Amino acid sequence: MGKIEWAMWANEQALASGLILLAGGIVGVAGQFRGWEFAAYAVAAGVFVCLLEYPRSKRAKGTSVERSGQYCFTVCVKAFGPLTRNYYVRAFLHAAICVPGGFMLATVLGCVCLGIASLIYLAAAIRGEHWEPILPRKDVRKPVAESIKNPPQNPPPRPPPETRRKQAKDLEGAAYDNPSSVTDD
Amino acid sequence: MAVSVRSWVANEGGKHLVLMLWLGANTWLFLRTYLLYSTGQQYHYLYKMLGLGLCISRASASVLNLNCCLVLLPMCRSLLTFIRGTHTVSSRKTRRLLDKSKSFHVACGVAICLFSAVHVSAHLVNVVNFSLSYSDDFPALNLARYRGEVRLPNVSNHDHPVRSASVLFPGVTGVLLVLILLLMFISSSYCIRVSNYEIFWYTHNLFIVFYTILMVHMVGGALKYQTNLKAHPPGCLRTNQSNSKLQDEDLVQAEDDDIRCREDAHFEPHYPQTWLWVSGPLCLYCVERLYRYIRSSDPVTIVTAIRHPCNVVELRMLKKDFKARPGQYIVLNCPGVSSFENHPFTLTKCPTANKETFGIHLRVVGDWTDRFTQLLLPPPRADMEILPMVQQRRYPNDGWRGFRLQRLYFVWVCKEIQSFYWFAELLCALHKKLWQENRPDYFNLKLYVSCTESLQRMSEERYRPLSSRLLVGRPKWKMILDEIGKSNKKRVGVFCCGPKSISKTLHRLCNSTRSSGTVFEFNKESFS
């Protein structure tokens, strides 16, 4: 149990809770049950939680798989800086958001699930984890060697390097005899 | 790539047949329960009160019963291994189907989640309808205390403690069940299983709480059925009862039925039936876990531990009465590292009649393997004695007969060339043995080094058979399969153990058309 990353589980749980809160809120508003104002709040809260939790954090160790299309969400969440980076803030935020959901039957499930997610975030924060954005990696290509710009001028068999250097300056002096015959005799 | 019908049927046919049967069983059960509640005489009055919500909630409950029963069966791995190994299941098709048991478990789990959502929604609608359609004629049938009451789980009821308990208990147990189900479902997503398997394992073991609560979920049932159908056929009304909603035709009908309508309707709540469905598989699974625990209580002796390049440790062990066949895996538990963690490893050497040691190769990736290898092989110091290493050169000769394999193509892709040293001895010994038996085409080896950055070579002379079959870069699977298909016209079994991308590519290629017409049967092994 030593090296579990609680934040990943908390993220999945919180995203699912946001969806459940949203669904419960929609049911509550559509049915016009008593206390439907709480359901309307749950719809808004559910959407907010989903947007906040959609971008996955970068894992401390190992490969991070990002959710499809999460780059724009990553940029938005990153813009809030330490508010979204710190998991203590998220834990207390989720705990505060989930409370009004408990006053109506349709949203009580989302409330409890979000409360559980808040507890897991607290555990993650105590372990010292924080949110890291997954940004596209910029590959640094190796600088191209200079010799690539000067391809050989003559076909093989090519003379040894010293003769090649002479050839560049002095054509007559660079002439030499091939040690082996290059014809089919 | 065009899908070949023959290959598709060979690879996917059995799986889809089982899926169709399972869907058919679910549909039949749903419809049967739906019709029972919508047309059954004993539910006539209840149906009039609640309408569609009653039928859907009860139908989804019966489907949930079936799936909660079936979901445990694929997890009885010892039982499945036993069935798979016996001669009663000699068909390869059935064995391959049994290999897909985890997918069936996932399908049942998803069905449970879906139908739970349907069940909960239908019951919420029922609660509303109980209060809107409060029945003055049949007070015993009601759940609400008066028309228009809105019931909430936190409303206390001092007047009718029995009735409130009958509402609260299924309600509270229902909320608890859904909560546990959600916890189990959310932590079983692929990314959590791959990154932190323990979270998945420990939350999934909440299933025992789930099943316990499930079996008492219907105690104090709110839905009642009529017991005295003969004495009081539904639809009949007594003469001294005035009902302003009656039409003229109904009044005439009522006068005709007067003779047969002798008593008031009596209603009885249902007894919980879930335990009938669920207790069998639950007992079977508990017996299975107990069996695994008892089997694991025999100690295992570690004979040798060999350190290989690229962070791999080979472990040779001995255990009394341990039998295994190639392709099986074992699950290791080391109390010195962690009492509750169990890690699966495929066997790389099975016990034979002559040699009883069995071996695994484990790669140090996570914290358990790290700690385990630290316990096994303390960091080398010059003055410390190294654990004795016993070279096993004899195992290609043992247990060689009895397989119907006609040719083996072994394609091995590694990142670094050092990894090939894990099995270099075994591969060269096998190659030499087959060469001496004049069967050089039995074993075809293709080694690939996927990391193309730096040039790597295997320079040892004794590993020449390997270095001459070494290729740089990732394998082109289509070309390999085409080549194998051209040389082998019969069925070719493909066994893939590796990352998902390779597995997906191979699966797709196995299902597609081949110019040679060979059928490739795809099998894969994964532990996450």
Side-chain angles (χ1 to χ4, degrees):
Chain A
M1 293 274 274
K3 303 226 175 64
I4 297 182
E5 283 188 35
W6 297 94
M8 189 168 236
W9 183 25
N11 172 267
E12 295 277 322
Q13 181 80 19
L15 185 64
S17 316
L19 289 169
I20 295 167
L21 206 55
L22 180 65
I26 291 175
V27 163
V29 166
Q32 289 285 308
F33 296 134
R34 196 180 68 155
W36 67 272
E37 296 88 1
F38 289 113
Y41 161 81
V43 170
V47 170
F48 172 71
V49 167
C50 283
L51 289 175
L52 176 64
E53 297 294 338
Y54 190 71
R56 247 187 217 136
S57 160
K58 197 166 173 182
R59 279 177 67 191
K61 218 170 68 161
T63 45
S64 319
V65 181
E66 54 173 31
R67 295 199 174 99
S68 37
Q70 83 166 36
Y71 180 63
C72 37
F73 296 99
T74 311
V75 168
C76 296
V77 171
K78 184 167 164 251
F80 284 92
L83 274 182
T84 44
R85 211 178 118 88
N86 190 316
Y87 283 148
Y88 279 112
V89 171
R90 276 204 205 197
F92 290 124
L93 184 69
H94 287 322
I97 289 179
C98 81
V99 167
F103 290 107
M104 197 190 160
L105 184 57
T107 51
V108 79
L109 198 61
C111 157
V112 177
C113 284
L114 197 57
I116 294 176
S118 152
L119 285 171
I120 308 173
Y121 264 128
L122 192 64
I126 292 172
R127 298 267 336 271
E129 298 173 29
H130 57 266
W131 188 83
E132 273 288 329
I134 302 180
L135 296 166
R137 221 173 26 156
K138 294 188 228 340
D139 276 321
V140 176
R141 299 225 135 226
K142 281 191 297 221
V144 169
E146 269 301 305
S147 61
I148 208 168
K149 301 216 176 75
N150 294 326
Q153 300 296 318
N154 38 330
R158 279 184 265 277
E162 309 83 46
T163 327
R164 260 184 268 155
R165 265 181 253 129
K166 276 194 226 159
Q167 207 173 38
K169 295 172 201 158
D170 170 25
L171 269 174
E172 283 301 316
Y176 76 106
D177 287 322
N178 262 327
S180 53
S181 165
V182 293
T183 52
D184 283 325
D185 295 345
Chain B
M1 175 123 305
V3 170
S4 145
V5 176
R6 263 181 76 205
S7 300
W8 189 90
V9 168
N11 283 320
E12 318 291 333
K15 186 171 79 175
H16 282 76
L17 182 67
V18 169
L19 189 68
M20 289 298 127
L21 285 173
W22 173 73
L23 280 175
N26 279 304
T27 315
W28 174 80
L29 197 58
F30 189 92
L31 286 175
R32 193 187 92 149
T33 320
Y34 185 96
L35 289 172
L36 173 68
Y37 277 84
S38 60
T39 57
Q41 290 294 300
Q42 67 269 45
Y43 300 111
H44 176 88
Y45 294 118
L46 195 60
Y47 181 64
K48 266 174 52 173
M49 258 175 86
L50 298 177
L52 210 62
L54 168 73
C55 304
I56 291 190
S57 66
R58 294 308 306 153
S60 54
S62 59
V63 168
L64 279 173
N65 280 339
L66 173 68
N67 281 301
C68 286
C69 157
L70 290 176
V71 81
L72 283 173
L73 297 176
M75 290 295 117
C76 302
R77 288 198 214 259
S78 303
L79 182 65
L80 286 178
T81 309
F82 172 72
I83 293 175
R84 199 180 182 280
T86 58
H87 291 296
T88 48
V89 176
S90 54
S91 152
R92 195 179 58 243
K93 282 197 180 68
T94 326
R95 282 202 297 271
R96 288 178 74 217
L97 262 183
L98 285 175
D99 285 342
K100 297 180 168 58
S101 52
K102 197 179 81 167
S103 313
F104 185 65
H105 175 84
V106 169
C108 288
V110 168
I112 290 177
C113 288
L114 274 174
F115 280 99
S116 297
V118 170
H119 182 78
V120 166
S121 321
H123 270 313
L124 282 176
V125 169
N126 284 345
V127 165
V128 168
N129 280 335
F130 261 130
S131 89
L132 289 180
S133 328
Y134 183 84
S135 169
D136 301 303
D137 303 325
F138 307 107
L141 205 53
N142 288 304
L143 195 70
R145 285 173 295 164
Y146 50 85
R147 189 176 298 270
E149 183 201 21
V150 176
R151 294 214 65 106
L152 283 173
N154 53 358
V155 171
S156 67
N157 190 345
H158 298 294
D159 305 328
H160 302 276
V162 172
R163 182 126 11 112
S164 80
S166 79
V167 169
L168 280 180
F169 195 74
V172 167
T173 49
V175 170
L176 276 175
L177 281 173
V178 175
L179 204 61
I180 296 178
L181 188 67
L182 275 172
L183 263 176
M184 282 167 60
F185 186 68
I186 292 169
S187 60
S188 60
S189 68
Y190 177 70
C191 64
I192 292 197
R193 269 183 287 141
V194 160
S195 56
N196 300 300
Y197 194 80
E198 302 97 347
I199 294 177
F200 159 70
W201 179 245
Y202 293 131
T203 42
H204 235 65
N205 276 300
L206 287 172
F207 78 94
I208 195 75
V209 180
F210 180 84
Y211 275 94
T212 318
I213 301 182
L214 185 67
M215 288 199 272
V216 297
H217 175 53
M218 252 190 87
V219 162
L223 301 176
K224 303 184 183 77
Y225 66 99
Q226 187 186 342
T227 45
N228 55 345
L229 284 173
K230 282 210 175 55
H232 178 120
C236 86
L237 287 156
R238 297 234 296 265
T239 42
N240 58 357
Q241 209 172 25
S242 64
N243 195 331
S244 52
K245 286 193 234 161
L246 273 181
Q247 304 292 322
D248 287 325
E249 309 88 65
D250 287 344
L251 269 172
V252 170
Q253 185 82 23
E255 279 165 16
D256 286 337
D257 291 339
D258 243 349
I259 319 157
R260 292 177 295 170
C261 196
R262 287 191 291 272
E263 330 175 317
D264 273 338
H266 294 310
F267 297 102
E268 284 283 325
H270 277 293
Y271 283 110
Q273 287 173 344
T274 310
W275 67 273
L276 281 169
W277 290 89
V278 153
S279 49
L282 193 62
C283 286
L284 192 65
Y285 186 71
C286 290
V287 163
E288 149 95 25
R289 288 285 282 262
L290 194 66
Y291 169 75
R292 282 191 220 166
Y293 179 73
I294 292 175
R295 248 182 84 162
S296 69
S297 58
D298 271 340
V300 169
T301 318
I302 297 181
V303 175
T304 57
I306 307 166
R307 199 188 281 278
H308 286 288
C310 300
N311 255 340
V312 162
V313 172
E314 185 182 344
L315 209 61
R316 299 274 172 76
M317 295 167 277
L318 256 183
K319 183 170 169 164
K320 208 169 60 136
D321 291 332
F322 178 68
K323 306 264 180 307
R325 300 188 62 201
Q328 292 187 312
Y329 66 91
I330 56 170
V331 181
L332 284 189
N333 174 302
C334 181
V337 176
S338 165
S339 329
F340 298 115
E341 284 187 37
N342 303 306
H343 292 258
F345 295 99
T346 314
L347 283 170
T348 49
K349 179 188 173 321
C350 293
T352 57
N354 302 336
K355 199 88 195 141
E356 281 185 7
T357 50
F358 56 98
I360 58 160
H361 280 65
L362 64 90
R363 185 172 204 159
V364 178
V365 174
D367 52 340
W368 188 89
T369 36
D370 197 22
R371 187 85 194 98
F372 186 53
T373 44
Q374 274 173 16
L375 285 178
L376 275 178
L377 298 165
R381 282 187 357 226
D383 54 344
M384 258 179 67
E385 201 181 289
I386 303 172
L387 282 171
M389 301 198 314
V390 180
Q391 291 292 339
Q392 294 290 330
R393 285 191 203 277
R394 280 177 288 144
Y395 44 71
N397 296 318
D398 286 340
W400 190 239
R401 303 282 160 237
F403 297 112
R404 286 192 302 178
L405 191 64
Q406 293 191 342
R407 195 174 275 163
L408 177 63
Y409 289 82
F410 186 49
V411 179
W412 191 7
V413 186
C414 284
K415 245 194 200 157
E416 297 159 335
I417 208 170
Q418 302 287 322
S419 315
F420 294 121
Y421 287 106
W422 306 338
F423 294 108
E425 299 280 346
L426 171 60
L427 291 172
C428 292
L430 188 61
H431 176 258
K432 190 157 158 229
K433 173 185 143 74
L434 288 169
W435 185 263
Q436 280 164 357
E437 286 183 12
N438 200 22
R439 290 198 291 172
D441 61 338
Y442 191 92
F443 180 58
N444 300 280
L445 188 58
K446 290 183 185 3
L447 303 178
Y448 290 86
V449 179
S450 62
C451 177
T452 52
E453 296 280 302
S454 57
L455 205 61
Q456 303 171 73
R457 286 178 54 227
M458 274 174 114
S459 46
E460 290 90 344
E461 184 54 38
R462 66 176 194 268
Y463 296 143
R464 176 62 79 89
L466 300 184
S467 57
S468 58
R469 286 164 176 77
L470 188 63
L471 294 157
V472 176
R474 294 217 174 106
K476 293 187 174 41
W477 297 111
K478 184 168 180 322
M479 286 171 54
I480 293 177
L481 288 189
D482 278 341
E483 177 200 327
I484 295 176
K486 285 200 178 72
S487 339
N488 303 282
K489 294 293 182 185
K490 300 183 193 168
R491 275 172 189 270
V492 176
V494 177
F495 184 79
C496 169
C497 181
K500 256 197 160 181
S501 51
I502 296 185
S503 170
K504 275 200 180 100
T505 314
L506 273 179
H507 197 167
R508 196 174 30 89
L509 282 172
C510 287
N511 276 344
S512 58
T513 42
R514 294 256 89 78
S515 52
S516 51
T518 326
V519 172
F520 285 87
E521 287 184 4
F522 179 72
N523 305 281
K524 75 168 194 268
E525 176 185 69
S526 79
F527 289 126
S528 60

